[in-house]
Amino acid sequence: MTATRRKVCFPITNRAYYGRSQMLLKKLQAHPGIELKLMLGGSILLDKYSRHIADDIQAGGFEIASSLFNVIEGGNHVAMAKTACLTALEFTNELYTANPDVVVICGDRFEQLAIAMAAAYLNITIAHIEGGDVTGSIDESVRHAITKLAHLHFVTNADAQRRVLAMGEDPKYVFNTGSLDVELAASINTAITRDEVNGFGVGHAIDVERPFLMVVQHPVTTEADNRLHLETTLRAVAALDVPAIWFWPNADAGTGEMADSLRHMRERHAELTAKMHFITNVPADRFVALLANTACLVGNSSAGIKECSYLGTPVVNIGGRQQGRLSGEHVTHVGYDSAEIAAAVTAQLAHGPYPSSNIYHRANASDAVVDVLASAELYTQKRFFEAD
Amino acid sequence: MTATRRKVCFPITNRAYYGRSQMLLKKLQAHPGIELKLMLGGSILLDKYSRHIADDIQAGGFEIASSLFNVIEGGNHVAMAKTACLTALEFTNELYTANPDVVVICGDRFEQLAIAMAAAYLNITIAHIEGGDVTGSIDESVRHAITKLAHLHFVTNADAQRRVLAMGEDPKYVFNTGSLDVELAASINTAITRDEVNGFGVGHAIDVERPFLMVVQHPVTTEADNRLHLETTLRAVAALDVPAIWFWPNADAGTGEMADSLRHMRERHAELTAKMHFITNVPADRFVALLANTACLVGNSSAGIKECSYLGTPVVNIGGRQQGRLSGEHVTHVGYDSAEIAAAVTAQLAHGPYPSSNIYHRANASDAVVDVLASAELYTQKRFFEAD
Amino acid sequence: MTATRRKVCFPITNRAYYGRSQMLLKKLQAHPGIELKLMLGGSILLDKYSRHIADDIQAGGFEIASSLFNVIEGGNHVAMAKTACLTALEFTNELYTANPDVVVICGDRFEQLAIAMAAAYLNITIAHIEGGDVTGSIDESVRHAITKLAHLHFVTNADAQRRVLAMGEDPKYVFNTGSLDVELAASINTAITRDEVNGFGVGHAIDVERPFLMVVQHPVTTEADNRLHLETTLRAVAALDVPAIWFWPNADAGTGEMADSLRHMRERHAELTAKMHFITNVPADRFVALLANTACLVGNSSAGIKECSYLGTPVVNIGGRQQGRLSGEHVTHVGYDSAEIAAAVTAQLAHGPYPSSNIYHRANASDAVVDVLASAELYTQKRFFEAD
Amino acid sequence: MTATRRKVCFPITNRAYYGRSQMLLKKLQAHPGIELKLMLGGSILLDKYSRHIADDIQAGGFEIASSLFNVIEGGNHVAMAKTACLTALEFTNELYTANPDVVVICGDRFEQLAIAMAAAYLNITIAHIEGGDVTGSIDESVRHAITKLAHLHFVTNADAQRRVLAMGEDPKYVFNTGSLDVELAASINTAITRDEVNGFGVGHAIDVERPFLMVVQHPVTTEADNRLHLETTLRAVAALDVPAIWFWPNADAGTGEMADSLRHMRERHAELTAKMHFITNVPADRFVALLANTACLVGNSSAGIKECSYLGTPVVNIGGRQQGRLSGEHVTHVGYDSAEIAAAVTAQLAHGPYPSSNIYHRANASDAVVDVLASAELYTQKRFFEAD
């Protein structure tokens, strides 16, 4: 009966969250007891980060309830902070009008905390996906602050579960479902063609039959040297003389100087980028296919820790962004040092693929989330839970 | 040397935070190693909540760095949420311009989390006063979310300290200083005259030589029946036929309907309010003096739990707002029921004052806070701390 | 056919605009070629200005497309300016989502210019009602600035038409339809009972069978002495010793100090207000009925100039707010001087009703507006029109 | 004496306004009776539009009172509208804090109207530079709306003066000072070297000793085909096979698709852009030097109409953006048609430089503005002025 369907609002603010949530979204959409409202805001509406994603979403049969342009230019801390505030303001209006039973907050991005705050103040039940992990950057603070505003917790591993409980959440509402990203990675056709890859982005044409690197290096908002750190990685990769696909950084504070540096390097140091292919984004399943095919992932993406644990892809993780996150033997952790990066990548190329690991993988993660959203008893008054 | 002074921003957004922070503010102002910047926003700038407080602050020798009008009218959840968002947006600009070393966030009010979020995204060290307590209302979520964004923690009691540590904060940065409110209460001249009291507010003239009640009942944002709950208390107090001073509710969601109800009762049910005196606000020290002189405090103010524990004032605490907070024997907890409230007040009147308790009291709380702010090593990258 | 209906967005931001637009709204709603979207924002959503108006609107069969809480408290210039900015921001989202063919902007209130700006930047055709008049206060600037953003102009009198053309608007799109307010006034049942009147508001009970005054004095935003000017009028009216209905001021800058003064006068100078009845608002038709029955309207409302010209009600217009507006012989203009005000009211009481005037009246004003909205060729690129 | 200095706030929101206001700003800064406060917001703070301009401003001895990041990404109408609203909100706070005697509003950009609205609501006197002109795009509406909010008017030509007076402005406050841009153009060293030019931007190296074109084509917000119109011009210029310097479009709605098209053309149609050099911006005096040296300016910049009238540079003006603006014989007006554009440029190349014209030039324009700002009687209550 329509009258008893739960209204679930799902704010999506960047390409990665859409990518990793696809299976979940399809199942929410299909569930007879749930009315799904997708709300878009932030960088996912901007071509430079997410070309065509809004179109893809609609092509996927989803109705977009709201499209809120609220990214403030600057690529620095003040722009990031104000983007969060404006996001919160606009989602307040949308959530107030939609009046949902549950709002789903994903991960640890700054604008998701802002939306969680708006939902909490509107007295709406909040479900949080991927709480309890430990990392670097502002994400570390944001993730746990969302946990303390949220009512239903979907964690991806046992360590995270332990921490969410330590923070005073009620065990009855903490669910270790495994990672949606890894569930998706496990379900994807990983074949990819040369034409497909080179149809995205610009620069050197990649031969997918031969070893190539992938670089995904995002800003670390709590560090001051994002430009330098990017150039350190770029010089290391250039020195290796292996073809590489370089992904554009996401919209966190520091992205301005990193993007500027990449443009500068391409225009003024063409010799360093001669074997690099630059991509702003690809569909989520093609990103996974690239992860499955690359000889080594370099940078600081969580995909290196999570998806690659299952795929067995060698990873060189740089700097503090993923520091503390549960990671498998496929990851070599290095500092911001060209020689150290180059040596680690060389070793990973020599090593080759690792066996698949299940530290982040559980079958049917998205089904588990849907079940809880459809049937859990909802509440809004939180209370710090202390085991006796 | 000026060059090495730490710049401390102190956002004040309501009358209560100013009241309880006065001793701390004076000591920060006087400290040679600290440059204090007071920033005002929210309801403290509005006459209806805080007549003359901005003037008082300046009269007290403080310079006001910013005055940000950002309270959105409505007195409901959506107005509260948007007020928080606008507050965050405006404080982002102010904090970005001021570029402080530390921002001090007080307590658990919704707009303080918004400011904390802005400060976190600007990569500024955050000090939080009064984390770790457990209560009802949205304050419970807000308080712990601030803890997870903050770097320096000033808690008021051992229970709170234990919880802040459980949430993964580094013991090196968690300080049990006792309560600033109680320190202030312990230092105040509690004598008060009839003329003084009746010079504030309107309505029935109170004779301070004879027993009188005080009622402070704020909205509980996570409950739907704030209007009804207020009227329940009002009918109970009216039935007791004891003179009462009724304080206007603060600016949380629900305040609109509560204020409306009070106006309605005064205009249309004058018989019920015949012995009531209505006050929107008084200076912090006069509030404490009233607490020290009232025969019983009724409602859901934290002052009933904290200041009154030290003062020994009998308290009838109603409903869920303070639920879970460490409370002494001077408090009787009751539900939203006129008969239960009236009976509890009658019993407290019969009992009279309690002995003073130190559960929230430590000497020199404000000195302890100043010392940490002036000398602690500052950092911004947080990491969940797990005892081995 | 639905596909060819024009979508008309009608933002309503205060009680007066709803009142005077009722006939127009009903006809727009009923028109087969028009899809009407009512959008509410500003003070009309706030009980203190507009109790129950949102409910009345829905009871009238209108669907409310949006309800945007965006009034910033303070009652001063900075709060007014920020209210306008927030209004513009929120209406941008709503108008972008609604994607209308035409937005209807009413009159000269500050938030209406903000909405007009948003609509202009969204490249939507703007229709403006009541351009070209001359008055005081910020309204004078706002009104003409809206004219220069608008594409279709509905003016209420020949003087206004001449000015709109002088400002470079294309004569093809300037329509002198007469005043909607006066059309409404001409259609109302003006009988009113004692019970009806006293059911609104609080204070002295008015006997509608005997002479009574009405006072409507709004802030003048470009003047500094709104509090003093209000008290000047209040003392003049008190001295006349005639019962008076006093309407609460609207939400312009200065309203804070005026409301504060009224509260102060009622609480502390009860003798001056002993014969006054205070009303925050009444339904539009009851306001007109009161205008038709009062012995004299005092203050600075445009209703004194417009509706009263048709009704023949004597008016004493105070100060600069209506200065320059075309006014009939029923108006006596006075300055901010108690003696002058009292003398003018006394003279008007002696004179009694004036003959009805048609300077603002044309039959079928609302039909004329509907016809243009339904059938005019719409355009967005404006060009200053100069007669050869 | 300091106490009597007038405080003048000067909000600068894009590179062009800074460029053309340099002489004025230096004189305001130097004037003993004026305290200048420069406030930066909008695209001037963004590297992609204005690399280093904020640094240049400080290097020029100016103190920057505020730096407000408020450009919302999207490059479409909704982003433009929301940028204006956010700009107005933030400048309200800054202007309220600064409390100036006068705010100077430049030209006709959308965010300048937003700031003018904020200033008007704060009851601050507004001076407007360059009112009364007629053009296309949203600029046409914006310019005249600013006029109706402004109190002091500095127009650049007799036609504009006539229109400002027709719109009801008081002749006592309307000053035909000539154009600041042209005054600057007349004072510049127009020599420019090959190295200087090629040091800005990227692409084909320009030989300034040989004929080269300049293209400056901005979005027209009231038109839907900005991408197509840009490509039409690009194909026309490519076909001429003459080296060209192409300037990046400004931040108006439509810029997103135009920038995207330029990137696409460079990446995917390198043959068309082989002789093009792309520049995001240059210092104002170097822009004028390029105008003085180019064989023909192509596009829709106001510099083609104004600066080039004085410099005698041949101009091909495309489409509706400058339609209606007073223009000299050096301009050929064409539509959005590749063949027409190419033919017109060919004809202009054959014709060569035109004699200098004074239609926009008066000596000492900036002195005239400074004198008025320093000495005019200031007022805030406007009144439509009608000549008898």
Side-chain angles (χ1 to χ4, degrees):
Chain A
M1 226 183 84
T2 303
T4 62
R5 289 201 298 166
R6 276 195 181 166
K7 190 184 281 188
V8 175
C9 279
F10 205 117
I12 305 185
T13 51
N14 82 339
R15 61 187 179 205
Y17 288 155
Y18 175 65
R20 66 180 63 160
S21 305
Q22 285 185 328
M23 294 178 70
L24 174 59
L25 289 170
K26 286 196 180 105
K27 289 173 181 168
L28 287 172
Q29 173 99 325
H31 195 289
I34 287 176
E35 178 188 355
L36 176 66
K37 285 187 94 72
L38 270 190
M39 295 174 160
L40 304 191
S43 63
I44 203 167
L45 294 172
L46 303 179
D47 271 3
K48 88 176 184 198
Y49 294 107
S50 311
R51 180 178 304 277
H52 304 315
I53 282 210
D55 296 344
D56 286 359
I57 290 172
Q58 288 182 300
F62 297 107
E63 192 191 343
I64 297 176
S66 315
S67 291
L68 301 165
F69 286 82
N70 43 32
V71 175
I72 292 176
E73 288 201 46
N76 53 17
H77 284 92
V78 67
M80 179 172 101
K82 286 159 77 168
T83 295
C85 302
L86 186 56
T87 300
L89 184 65
E90 299 196 334
F91 272 91
T92 297
N93 278 332
E94 297 301 311
L95 292 174
Y96 172 69
T97 302
N99 194 23
D101 299 291
V102 188
V103 174
V104 181
I105 300 295
C106 289
D108 48 26
R109 284 189 54 75
F110 64 95
E111 72 274 13
Q112 293 279 324
L113 171 58
I115 299 171
M117 185 182 81
Y121 293 0
L122 289 168
N123 218 17
I124 300 169
T125 300
I126 298 169
H128 183 212
I129 295 176
E130 286 202 39
D133 285 346
V134 170
T135 66
S137 202
I138 187 67
D139 308 356
E140 169 72 4
S141 301
V142 165
R143 187 183 313 107
H144 303 317
I146 294 174
T147 292
K148 293 309 301 173
L149 297 176
H151 305 84
L152 307 173
H153 306 273
F154 302 108
V155 302
T156 67
N157 60 84
D159 282 11
Q161 185 171 30
R162 190 187 67 245
R163 287 186 210 101
V164 168
L165 295 175
M167 283 189 277
E169 297 305 300
D170 187 339
K172 185 163 56 164
Y173 295 113
V174 181
F175 308 92
N176 180 359
T177 60
S179 162
L180 293 171
D181 327 23
V182 177
E183 182 192 30
L184 185 75
S187 76
I188 284 289
N189 171 7
T190 58
I192 194 159
T193 67
R194 181 189 167 107
D195 282 359
E196 216 174 1
V197 170
N198 294 296
F200 305 118
V202 299
H204 177 75
I206 297 293
D207 180 354
V208 292
E209 305 299 321
R210 301 176 56 85
F212 65 93
L213 305 177
M214 268 174 79
V215 186
V216 185
Q217 188 161 338
H218 296 304
V220 183
T221 65
T222 44
E223 298 177 357
D225 298 322
N226 285 297
R227 184 186 191 107
L228 177 63
H229 294 165
L230 176 135
E231 293 179 4
T232 299
T233 302
L234 192 141
R235 288 178 193 282
V237 171
L240 289 168
D241 203 33
V242 180
I245 299 176
W246 195 295
F247 280 79
W248 216 248
N250 71 16
D252 284 352
T255 196
E257 51 185 313
M258 291 177 80
D260 191 60
S261 173
L262 281 178
R263 278 190 290 264
H264 175 78
M265 285 293 181
R266 288 194 64 205
E267 297 281 4
R268 303 283 172 181
H269 296 279
E271 72 290 356
L272 292 177
T273 62
K275 289 200 172 169
M276 295 180 188
H277 185 83
F278 292 87
I279 293 182
T280 52
N281 76 302
V282 298
D285 69 323
R286 296 302 83 199
F287 185 72
V288 173
L290 285 169
L291 288 178
N293 285 277
T294 187
C296 180
L297 174 70
V298 181
N300 59 16
S301 168
S302 65
I305 311 298
K306 295 193 291 178
E307 283 91 328
C308 292
S309 70
Y310 181 84
L311 297 168
T313 303
V315 171
V316 173
N317 181 71
I318 304 171
R321 193 164 179 268
Q322 301 300 334
Q323 203 177 341
R325 207 190 272 277
L326 172 69
S327 72
E329 56 159 355
H330 69 294
V331 182
T332 306
H333 293 278
V334 300
Y336 299 113
D337 180 285
S338 283
E340 193 182 352
I341 295 167
V345 174
T346 302
Q348 289 284 37
L349 292 176
H351 180 286
Y354 288 79
S356 180
S357 153
N358 280 331
I359 51 176
Y360 285 102
H361 181 236
R362 292 200 174 194
N364 307 319
S366 53
D367 285 326
V369 174
V370 171
D371 283 353
V372 172
L373 290 177
S375 63
E377 192 185 351
L378 303 182
Y379 69 107
T380 58
Q381 177 63 63
K382 294 193 67 177
R383 175 67 40 87
F384 197 98
F385 187 94
E386 293 184 276
D388 298 319
Chain B
M1 224 183 85
T2 303
T4 61
R5 288 203 298 167
R6 279 195 179 166
K7 190 184 281 187
V8 175
C9 279
F10 205 116
I12 304 185
T13 51
N14 82 339
R15 60 187 180 204
Y17 288 155
Y18 175 64
R20 66 179 66 159
S21 305
Q22 285 184 329
M23 294 178 70
L24 174 59
L25 289 170
K26 288 198 179 104
K27 288 174 182 169
L28 287 171
Q29 174 100 324
H31 196 288
I34 287 176
E35 178 188 355
L36 176 66
K37 284 186 95 73
L38 270 191
M39 295 175 160
L40 303 191
S43 62
I44 203 167
L45 294 172
L46 302 179
D47 270 2
K48 88 176 183 198
Y49 295 108
S50 311
R51 182 180 304 277
H52 304 315
I53 282 210
D55 296 344
D56 285 359
I57 291 172
Q58 288 181 302
F62 297 106
E63 190 190 345
I64 297 176
S66 316
S67 291
L68 301 165
F69 286 81
N70 43 32
V71 175
I72 292 176
E73 287 201 45
N76 53 17
H77 283 92
V78 68
M80 179 173 101
K82 286 159 77 167
T83 295
C85 301
L86 187 57
T87 301
L89 183 66
E90 300 196 334
F91 271 91
T92 297
N93 279 333
E94 296 303 309
L95 292 173
Y96 171 70
T97 302
N99 194 24
D101 298 291
V102 187
V103 174
V104 181
I105 299 295
C106 289
D108 49 26
R109 285 189 53 76
F110 65 95
E111 72 274 13
Q112 293 278 324
L113 171 58
I115 300 171
M117 185 183 82
Y121 294 0
L122 289 167
N123 218 16
I124 300 168
T125 300
I126 298 168
H128 183 211
I129 295 176
E130 286 203 40
D133 284 345
V134 171
T135 65
S137 202
I138 187 67
D139 308 356
E140 167 73 5
S141 301
V142 164
R143 186 184 314 109
H144 303 317
I146 294 174
T147 291
K148 292 309 302 173
L149 296 176
H151 305 84
L152 308 172
H153 306 273
F154 302 108
V155 301
T156 66
N157 59 84
D159 282 10
Q161 185 171 28
R162 189 187 68 244
R163 288 187 209 100
V164 168
L165 295 175
M167 284 190 276
E169 296 305 301
D170 188 337
K172 189 164 51 163
Y173 295 112
V174 181
F175 309 92
N176 181 358
T177 60
S179 162
L180 293 171
D181 327 23
V182 177
E183 183 193 29
L184 185 74
S187 75
I188 284 289
N189 171 7
T190 58
I192 193 158
T193 66
R194 182 191 167 105
D195 282 358
E196 215 174 0
V197 170
N198 295 296
F200 305 118
V202 298
H204 178 76
I206 299 291
D207 179 354
V208 292
E209 305 300 320
R210 301 175 57 85
F212 65 94
L213 305 177
M214 267 174 80
V215 186
V216 185
Q217 187 161 337
H218 295 304
V220 183
T221 66
T222 44
E223 299 177 357
D225 299 321
N226 285 296
R227 184 186 191 106
L228 177 63
H229 294 166
L230 176 134
E231 292 179 5
T232 298
T233 302
L234 191 139
R235 287 178 193 282
V237 171
L240 289 167
D241 203 34
V242 179
I245 299 176
W246 196 294
F247 280 79
W248 217 246
N250 72 16
D252 285 353
T255 196
E257 51 184 311
M258 291 177 80
D260 191 58
S261 172
L262 281 178
R263 276 190 290 264
H264 176 78
M265 286 293 182
R266 289 194 63 205
E267 297 281 2
R268 304 282 172 184
H269 296 279
E271 73 289 359
L272 292 177
T273 61
K275 288 202 172 167
M276 296 181 187
H277 185 82
F278 293 87
I279 294 183
T280 53
N281 77 302
V282 298
D285 69 322
R286 294 303 83 197
F287 185 73
V288 172
L290 285 169
L291 288 178
N293 284 278
T294 186
C296 179
L297 175 70
V298 181
N300 58 18
S301 167
S302 65
I305 312 297
K306 296 192 291 178
E307 283 89 329
C308 292
S309 71
Y310 181 85
L311 296 168
T313 303
V315 171
V316 173
N317 181 73
I318 304 171
R321 192 164 181 266
Q322 301 300 336
Q323 203 177 341
R325 206 189 273 277
L326 173 68
S327 72
E329 56 159 355
H330 68 296
V331 182
T332 306
H333 293 278
V334 298
Y336 299 113
D337 181 282
S338 283
E340 193 183 351
I341 295 168
V345 174
T346 302
Q348 289 284 37
L349 291 176
H351 180 285
Y354 288 79
S356 181
S357 154
N358 280 330
I359 51 176
Y360 285 102
H361 181 237
R362 293 201 173 195
N364 306 319
S366 53
D367 285 325
V369 174
V370 171
D371 283 353
V372 172
L373 290 177
S375 63
E377 192 185 350
L378 303 182
Y379 68 106
T380 58
Q381 177 64 62
K382 294 193 66 177
R383 176 69 40 86
F384 197 97
F385 187 93
E386 293 183 276
D388 299 319
Chain C
M1 226 183 82
T2 303
T4 60
R5 288 202 299 166
R6 278 195 179 165
K7 190 183 281 186
V8 175
C9 280
F10 205 116
I12 304 186
T13 51
N14 82 339
R15 60 188 180 204
Y17 288 155
Y18 175 64
R20 65 180 65 160
S21 305
Q22 285 185 327
M23 294 179 71
L24 174 58
L25 288 169
K26 286 195 180 108
K27 288 173 181 169
L28 287 172
Q29 173 100 323
H31 195 289
I34 287 177
E35 177 188 356
L36 176 66
K37 283 186 96 72
L38 269 191
M39 296 174 160
L40 303 192
S43 63
I44 202 167
L45 294 172
L46 302 179
D47 271 3
K48 89 176 183 200
Y49 295 108
S50 311
R51 182 177 305 275
H52 304 315
I53 282 210
D55 297 342
D56 285 359
I57 291 173
Q58 288 182 301
F62 297 106
E63 191 190 344
I64 297 175
S66 316
S67 290
L68 302 165
F69 286 81
N70 44 31
V71 174
I72 293 176
E73 287 201 44
N76 54 16
H77 283 92
V78 69
M80 178 172 102
K82 286 160 76 168
T83 295
C85 302
L86 186 57
T87 301
L89 184 65
E90 300 197 332
F91 272 92
T92 297
N93 279 332
E94 297 301 310
L95 292 174
Y96 171 70
T97 301
N99 194 24
D101 298 292
V102 187
V103 174
V104 180
I105 299 295
C106 289
D108 48 26
R109 283 190 53 77
F110 64 96
E111 72 274 14
Q112 294 278 325
L113 171 58
I115 301 171
M117 187 184 80
Y121 294 180
L122 289 167
N123 218 18
I124 299 169
T125 300
I126 297 168
H128 183 211
I129 295 176
E130 286 203 39
D133 284 345
V134 170
T135 65
S137 203
I138 188 66
D139 309 355
E140 168 73 5
S141 299
V142 164
R143 187 184 314 108
H144 302 318
I146 295 174
T147 292
K148 292 309 300 174
L149 297 176
H151 304 85
L152 306 173
H153 307 273
F154 302 108
V155 301
T156 66
N157 59 83
D159 282 10
Q161 184 170 31
R162 188 186 70 244
R163 289 187 209 101
V164 169
L165 295 175
M167 284 189 276
E169 297 305 300
D170 187 338
K172 187 163 53 164
Y173 295 112
V174 182
F175 308 92
N176 180 359
T177 60
S179 161
L180 293 171
D181 328 23
V182 177
E183 183 193 29
L184 184 74
S187 75
I188 284 289
N189 171 5
T190 57
I192 193 158
T193 66
R194 182 189 166 105
D195 283 358
E196 215 174 1
V197 170
N198 295 297
F200 305 118
V202 298
H204 178 75
I206 297 292
D207 178 355
V208 294
E209 306 299 321
R210 301 175 57 85
F212 64 93
L213 304 177
M214 269 174 79
V215 186
V216 186
Q217 186 160 339
H218 296 304
V220 182
T221 66
T222 44
E223 297 178 356
D225 299 323
N226 285 296
R227 185 186 191 107
L228 177 63
H229 294 165
L230 176 133
E231 293 178 4
T232 299
T233 302
L234 191 139
R235 287 178 193 282
V237 171
L240 289 167
D241 202 33
V242 178
I245 299 176
W246 196 295
F247 280 79
W248 217 247
N250 71 17
D252 285 353
T255 194
E257 52 184 314
M258 290 176 81
D260 191 60
S261 173
L262 281 178
R263 276 189 291 263
H264 176 79
M265 285 294 182
R266 287 195 64 205
E267 297 282 3
R268 304 282 171 183
H269 296 280
E271 73 289 358
L272 292 176
T273 60
K275 289 201 171 168
M276 296 181 186
H277 185 83
F278 292 86
I279 294 183
T280 52
N281 77 301
V282 297
D285 69 321
R286 295 302 82 196
F287 185 72
V288 173
L290 285 169
L291 288 178
N293 284 279
T294 186
C296 180
L297 174 71
V298 181
N300 59 18
S301 167
S302 66
I305 312 297
K306 295 193 291 178
E307 283 90 328
C308 292
S309 71
Y310 181 84
L311 297 168
T313 303
V315 171
V316 173
N317 180 72
I318 304 171
R321 191 164 181 267
Q322 301 299 336
Q323 201 177 344
R325 207 190 273 277
L326 172 69
S327 72
E329 56 159 355
H330 69 294
V331 183
T332 306
H333 293 278
V334 299
Y336 299 113
D337 181 283
S338 282
E340 193 182 352
I341 295 167
V345 175
T346 302
Q348 290 284 38
L349 291 175
H351 181 284
Y354 289 78
S356 181
S357 154
N358 280 329
I359 52 175
Y360 285 102
H361 181 237
R362 292 200 172 195
N364 306 319
S366 52
D367 285 326
V369 174
V370 171
D371 283 354
V372 172
L373 290 177
S375 63
E377 192 186 350
L378 303 182
Y379 69 106
T380 58
Q381 177 64 64
K382 293 193 66 176
R383 176 67 41 85
F384 197 98
F385 187 92
E386 293 184 276
D388 298 319
Chain D
M1 225 182 85
T2 303
T4 61
R5 288 201 299 166
R6 278 195 179 166
K7 190 183 282 186
V8 175
C9 280
F10 205 116
I12 305 186
T13 51
N14 82 339
R15 60 186 180 207
Y17 288 155
Y18 176 64
R20 66 181 64 160
S21 304
Q22 285 184 329
M23 294 178 70
L24 173 59
L25 288 170
K26 286 198 179 104
K27 288 173 183 170
L28 287 172
Q29 174 100 325
H31 195 289
I34 287 176
E35 178 188 355
L36 176 65
K37 285 187 95 72
L38 270 191
M39 296 175 160
L40 303 191
S43 63
I44 203 167
L45 293 172
L46 303 179
D47 271 3
K48 89 177 184 198
Y49 295 107
S50 311
R51 181 178 304 279
H52 305 315
I53 282 210
D55 296 343
D56 285 359
I57 291 172
Q58 288 182 302
F62 296 107
E63 191 190 344
I64 297 175
S66 316
S67 291
L68 301 165
F69 286 81
N70 44 31
V71 175
I72 292 176
E73 287 201 46
N76 52 17
H77 284 91
V78 68
M80 179 172 101
K82 285 159 77 168
T83 295
C85 301
L86 186 56
T87 300
L89 184 65
E90 299 196 334
F91 271 92
T92 297
N93 278 333
E94 297 301 311
L95 292 173
Y96 172 69
T97 302
N99 194 22
D101 298 291
V102 187
V103 174
V104 181
I105 299 295
C106 289
D108 49 27
R109 284 189 54 76
F110 64 95
E111 72 274 13
Q112 294 278 324
L113 171 58
I115 301 171
M117 186 183 80
Y121 293 0
L122 289 167
N123 219 16
I124 300 168
T125 300
I126 298 168
H128 183 211
I129 295 175
E130 285 202 40
D133 284 346
V134 170
T135 66
S137 203
I138 188 65
D139 308 355
E140 168 72 4
S141 299
V142 165
R143 186 184 313 109
H144 303 317
I146 295 174
T147 292
K148 292 309 301 173
L149 297 176
H151 305 85
L152 307 173
H153 306 273
F154 301 108
V155 302
T156 67
N157 60 83
D159 281 12
Q161 186 171 29
R162 188 186 69 244
R163 288 186 209 101
V164 169
L165 295 175
M167 284 189 277
E169 297 306 300
D170 186 337
K172 186 164 54 164
Y173 295 113
V174 182
F175 309 92
N176 180 359
T177 60
S179 162
L180 293 171
D181 328 22
V182 176
E183 183 192 30
L184 184 74
S187 76
I188 285 290
N189 171 8
T190 58
I192 194 158
T193 68
R194 183 190 166 106
D195 283 358
E196 214 174 0
V197 170
N198 295 296
F200 304 118
V202 299
H204 177 75
I206 298 293
D207 179 355
V208 293
E209 305 299 320
R210 301 174 56 85
F212 66 93
L213 305 177
M214 269 174 79
V215 186
V216 185
Q217 187 160 337
H218 296 305
V220 183
T221 66
T222 44
E223 298 177 357
D225 298 321
N226 285 296
R227 184 185 191 107
L228 177 64
H229 294 165
L230 176 135
E231 293 178 5
T232 299
T233 302
L234 191 140
R235 288 179 193 282
V237 171
L240 289 167
D241 203 33
V242 179
I245 299 175
W246 196 293
F247 280 79
W248 216 247
N250 71 17
D252 284 353
T255 196
E257 51 184 312
M258 292 178 80
D260 190 60
S261 173
L262 281 178
R263 277 191 290 263
H264 176 79
M265 286 294 183
R266 288 195 62 204
E267 296 282 3
R268 304 281 172 182
H269 297 279
E271 73 289 357
L272 292 177
T273 61
K275 288 202 170 166
M276 295 180 187
H277 185 83
F278 291 87
I279 294 182
T280 51
N281 78 301
V282 298
D285 70 321
R286 294 302 83 197
F287 185 74
V288 172
L290 285 169
L291 288 177
N293 284 277
T294 187
C296 180
L297 174 71
V298 181
N300 59 18
S301 168
S302 66
I305 312 296
K306 295 192 291 178
E307 283 90 329
C308 292
S309 71
Y310 181 85
L311 296 168
T313 302
V315 171
V316 172
N317 180 72
I318 304 171
R321 191 165 180 266
Q322 301 300 334
Q323 203 177 341
R325 207 189 272 278
L326 173 69
S327 72
E329 57 159 355
H330 68 294
V331 182
T332 306
H333 292 278
V334 299
Y336 298 114
D337 181 283
S338 283
E340 193 182 352
I341 296 167
V345 175
T346 302
Q348 289 284 37
L349 292 176
H351 180 285
Y354 288 78
S356 181
S357 154
N358 281 330
I359 51 175
Y360 284 102
H361 181 237
R362 291 201 173 194
N364 307 318
S366 52
D367 285 326
V369 173
V370 171
D371 283 355
V372 172
L373 290 177
S375 63
E377 192 185 349
L378 303 182
Y379 69 107
T380 58
Q381 177 63 63
K382 294 193 66 176
R383 176 68 40 86
F384 198 98
F385 187 94
E386 294 183 277
D388 298 318

